[in-house]
Amino acid sequence: MIRFFYLQKSDRIVMTVLLCVIVAALVVITVTDGRQEDDQQALTPAAKPEKARHRANRGGYNRKDYRQSGNMKVELSYFDPNSADSAHLLRLGLQPWQVGNIMKYRRAGGVFRKPRDFAKLYGLTARQYKQLEPYISIEQEPMAAENYFYNYEPIEERDTLRYPIKIQPEDRVHLNHADTLQLRKVPGIGSHFARKIVSYRERLGGYCRVQQLLEIPDFPETALNFFVIPDEDTTSFRRINVNRLSLNELKRHPYINFYMARAIVDFRRLHGPIKSLQQLSLNRDFTPETIERLQPYVEY
């Protein structure tokens, strides 16, 4: 019986090694499970803030970026909340999400009829409104009919703003004064092109020719006949001073690209103040057509 349980030396070594391996494996498994439980407990509290940040950033809005955008240089100027584009509103010191609220309100057919209405903007603080109130310039309603339409006879209005009744072929719309609601009454013009007309008008400083509407991508040419620019409007454009504005300010105008703005700044630095755009005619970017198109919008 004793010989039956007897193991040779080599067998005993093998058994000892196997026992050591089994014990070591059990120790490793026990320690690893303990660390995983600790890590899971440590990570669980942080998961909720991460989900909260994800919910806060849902929809493309980053609150951290908005806080940082407060360090941007604020440029206060007169603006109409019914027609100002997003770039203009951002320069006033508004946050991107506040500008988004304005655009959503306007797309839904909302209209700011008096400066006090702007104070009701969701997210606008009392301090921001107090700062911007002196610069709010809203077209007074109702305005004289001749300021918007010529040979216009009142017609029955529908109860919806989504499908406004279109004007007659003999009627005309004042291109530099009409808001998006009246622009939508022009045949072929819907909400999209009405906003584009107002936005491009703000960037230009005013239309000097009806044909400038064709510079808007895919604009319907058949709608041109419904617009008019009175002679008295040809001197009321918002002009840019080519001797004072910086390169970044100059290139914001639709008719001035980066290279043209740089040429203006370089000319001022080398030759002094500009007295006429013809002085830039040697630059290949300032073709005769470009100079003629830009002339109504510059001052010296």
Side-chain angles (χ1 to χ4, degrees):
M1 181 65 65
I2 295 176
R3 294 179 59 86
F4 180 78
F5 289 102
Y6 176 78
L7 297 175
Q8 296 183 359
K9 182 177 181 180
S10 59
D11 295 335
R12 292 199 300 271
I13 293 175
V14 171
M15 292 293 293
T16 303
V17 171
L18 288 175
L19 288 174
C20 292
V21 171
I22 293 173
V23 171
L26 291 174
V27 172
V28 170
I29 292 173
T30 303
V31 173
T32 303
D33 290 342
R35 288 183 178 178
Q36 288 179 347
E37 291 178 359
D38 294 340
D39 292 343
Q40 185 176 5
Q41 293 176 355
L43 290 175
T44 300
K48 293 182 180 179
E50 182 65 26
K51 290 181 179 179
R53 286 194 296 270
H54 176 72
R55 288 194 299 268
N57 295 337
R58 191 180 300 169
Y61 295 111
N62 191 316
R63 297 182 184 274
K64 183 177 180 181
D65 291 344
Y66 295 153
R67 291 196 295 269
Q68 291 176 347
S69 66
N71 298 325
M72 296 175 58
K73 182 180 178 181
V74 177
E75 300 177 6
L76 296 178
S77 60
Y78 290 100
F79 72 102
D80 186 343
N82 291 315
S83 59
D85 60 7
S86 58
H88 189 179
L89 294 172
L90 288 172
R91 291 198 299 271
L92 296 172
L94 294 174
Q95 298 294 333
W97 60 271
Q98 291 174 320
V99 175
N101 288 340
I102 295 175
M103 297 304 177
K104 290 178 182 177
Y105 177 74
R106 283 164 30 178
R107 284 196 295 269
V111 178
F112 299 95
R113 302 188 182 279
K114 54 183 182 295
R116 189 64 185 175
D117 290 345
F118 191 70
K120 300 177 183 178
L121 173 67
Y122 179 77
L124 186 73
T125 65
R127 181 178 180 182
Q128 286 177 309
Y129 176 73
K130 185 177 180 180
Q131 184 182 30
L132 295 175
E133 183 181 15
Y135 299 92
I136 299 176
S137 176
I138 299 177
E139 294 288 348
Q140 297 298 320
E141 291 189 8
M143 294 187 66
E146 60 269 16
N147 288 338
Y148 286 106
F149 300 98
Y150 292 81
N151 302 324
Y152 175 77
E153 294 181 359
I155 55 179
E156 182 181 357
E157 293 286 350
R158 298 181 187 176
D159 294 333
T160 176
L161 293 175
R162 186 174 182 182
Y163 301 106
I165 297 177
K166 300 298 184 178
I167 60 177
Q168 299 301 313
E170 64 273 13
D171 299 328
R172 297 295 179 266
V173 175
H174 196 309
L175 184 55
N176 280 327
H177 288 178
D179 60 16
T180 55
L181 178 59
Q182 283 153 348
L183 289 171
R184 289 169 59 189
K185 294 181 180 180
V186 175
I189 302 299
S191 299
H192 171 75
F193 282 117
R195 293 194 300 269
K196 290 292 185 181
I197 292 172
V198 173
S199 175
Y200 198 52
R201 182 176 67 195
E202 177 66 23
R203 293 178 59 203
L204 282 171
Y207 293 102
C208 62
R209 293 177 296 104
V210 173
Q211 286 71 21
Q212 288 176 285
L213 292 173
L214 296 178
E215 298 169 9
I216 299 174
D218 301 323
F219 188 86
E221 189 172 356
T222 55
L224 295 181
N225 294 331
F226 290 92
F227 296 101
V228 65
I229 301 176
D231 293 337
E232 59 269 19
D233 258 18
T234 58
T235 58
S236 62
F237 306 126
R238 188 178 70 251
R239 291 177 168 81
I240 57 175
N241 192 309
V242 292
N243 287 319
R244 294 182 181 178
L245 298 183
S246 65
L247 185 149
N248 287 331
E249 292 171 328
L250 288 169
K251 70 178 185 178
R252 289 174 186 167
H253 196 278
Y255 291 167
I256 300 179
N257 58 33
F258 170 80
Y259 300 101
M260 295 169 65
R262 187 174 63 181
I264 292 173
V265 173
D266 290 343
F267 187 95
R268 290 184 336 212
R269 177 171 52 84
L270 296 174
H271 305 287
I274 298 174
K275 298 180 180 179
S276 171
L277 289 179
Q278 295 299 329
Q279 294 176 277
L280 302 169
S281 59
L282 295 179
N283 188 296
R284 63 181 182 180
D285 291 317
F286 285 90
T287 63
E289 295 79 10
T290 300
I291 292 177
E292 181 181 0
R293 185 174 63 166
L294 187 58
Q295 191 67 52
Y297 299 102
V298 300
E299 61 182 9
Y300 311 99

